[in-house]
Every structure is written in structure tokens, then in C-alpha cells.
Amino acid sequence: MESFAIRSYLDTITRLNNLPISDQREWIFHHGMLLGSRAKWWADFGIRHARHEGLDIALFRNRAGAIQWLDTQTRVPAMAKGVVINLCRDFLGRSVIIRHAQDQTSRFVSVYSHITVPSAVVPGTRVEKGDVIGQIADTTGKKSGIHCHLHISIMEIANKIPDSGITWEIMGEPDLKGVKLFNPMIW
Ligand SMILES: [Zn+2]
């Protein structure tokens, strides 16, 4: 299977969007943006209602040395070759679920959340690494007060859950319903 290395993915985002970042090490992650964190990185910096199910990508230091946010112009690429198996709502936009591999018991997926999705991306759409599957959603005006960002999750989801049933109802309850989380920082 293709590499899911986060560095490769951040590099793809950089090139796709011509971001003015000089070195991948200049991406910035608050601890609340990391897998498993209970910390909010927005609003009151309080406690999340559940452990974070993935990685939030939002901030980098630009070539002028200033900290810059990704914005709603940011196009979102697929991490690897696969097939879109479902789309669902999330609390800031929509999520796209892409299957990369499957065996007798489960399939391995990547999830892209808080985005807007073009009408051409539907269940059954085949993607290659780097193909654009959406754009970061505008979250201004949402009462959550969360700056727009891309959330990604890497999951193994039991085959007993149908493709159309892969929503945040089950993805937000890992380990209870046949969903296993992986750390995108490692994959
Ligand atoms: Zn997130």
C-alpha cells in the first residue's frame, strides 16, 4: 500500500495550494490538534467532549516568519489511492470517507472532515493520491468559534458496518462499534 506518511501528505497540501511555507517542519500543531487529545485549541481552550479522533491541520509558519492559517481557499487532497465509500455531515461541514484496503473483516479508510465537497465526488469515485476531494469549509458564523481547518482520521472499520453507515455516529465511538483509530502522525 502507498505511504500515508504525514510529511508526504503535508507536502501534497503545500504543493497543491502553493502555500508560502519554506519547510515542512514549519507546520504547527497545538497539542489539542493531535490524536487522543482532550484539549480544545479554540474558544475557551477548555475540554473536548470526547478524545480527538484524528489530526487537525490548520497552521503553518510562512516564509516571512508569520503564523498563517489555512483558509477556505485550501484544496484538500486524498492521502492515497482509494475509493470514496461515503459522505456525511460533521459539525462544521462535510466528511469524505475513502477506502484504501479491505480484507475479510475490515477496511482501512482515511476521513477528511469540515470540508465542502464538489458534486463530482460521490460514493464510488476512484481517487489517486493528491486528487482534490474538497475544500476547507467556512466555519465563520458557527457558534462553536472554531477556526476553519482540515480534520483527518485514519481508521479501520469492521465490514459489518455498511459503507453508508460510516458516519460520525460510529466514528465518534471508536472501539465500541468496530472502529479502530490510527495516529495520522505515524501513518
Ligand atoms: Zn479534529
Side-chain angles (χ1 to χ4, degrees):
M1 192 168 8
E2 290 174 78
S3 171
F4 282 71
I6 190 66
R7 278 187 177 273
S8 170
Y9 187 59
L10 293 173
D11 188 46
T12 303
I13 293 174
T14 300
R15 278 186 280 107
L16 180 65
N17 294 288
N18 281 318
L19 298 181
I21 180 171
S22 55
D23 187 306
Q24 284 196 45
R25 283 171 292 184
E26 299 289 354
W27 286 92
I28 295 166
F29 296 96
H30 181 282
H31 70 92
M33 295 173 168
L34 305 177
L35 178 76
S37 179
R38 292 213 75 123
K40 288 183 183 176
W41 53 267
W42 62 90
D44 62 359
F45 293 91
I47 304 297
R48 288 174 179 267
H49 71 279
R51 288 189 182 279
H52 192 213
E53 309 90 345
L55 178 70
D56 290 334
I57 301 171
L59 283 169
F60 63 92
R61 190 180 305 275
N62 67 24
R63 282 195 277 268
I67 290 174
Q68 189 171 327
W69 291 91
L70 296 183
D71 58 27
T72 56
Q73 301 303 307
T74 308
R75 295 188 293 164
V76 176
M79 295 185 84
K81 180 178 181 170
V83 181
V84 174
I85 56 170
N86 201 25
L87 305 164
C88 66
R89 284 180 172 281
D90 60 55
F91 73 110
L92 292 174
R94 298 180 80 200
S95 292
V96 175
I97 296 104
I98 297 178
R99 184 187 68 220
H100 303 287
Q102 187 160 23
D103 64 17
Q104 272 133 2
T105 57
S106 62
R107 63 281 224 212
F108 190 73
V109 306
S110 58
V111 183
Y112 309 79
S113 299
H114 318 325
I115 66 176
T116 59
V117 183
S119 56
V121 175
V122 294
T125 301
R126 292 180 180 278
V127 296
E128 297 291 332
K129 178 178 179 177
D131 281 357
V132 176
I133 51 153
Q135 238 166 279
I136 291 181
D138 182 4
T139 57
T140 55
K142 300 263 179 179
K143 60 185 177 195
S144 56
I146 306 180
H147 200 288
C148 65
H149 66 280
L150 170 63
H151 169 106
I152 57 169
S153 285
I154 308 293
M155 299 181 173
E156 191 181 309
I157 300 177
N159 290 342
K160 66 184 178 190
I161 299 166
D163 289 349
S164 60
I166 302 177
T167 68
W168 283 104
E169 295 266 304
I170 64 119
M171 294 189 289
E173 299 276 356
D175 305 323
L176 291 179
K177 298 176 180 172
V179 177
K180 185 176 170 192
L181 296 181
F182 292 88
N183 190 342
M185 280 297 205
I186 295 168
W187 285 83

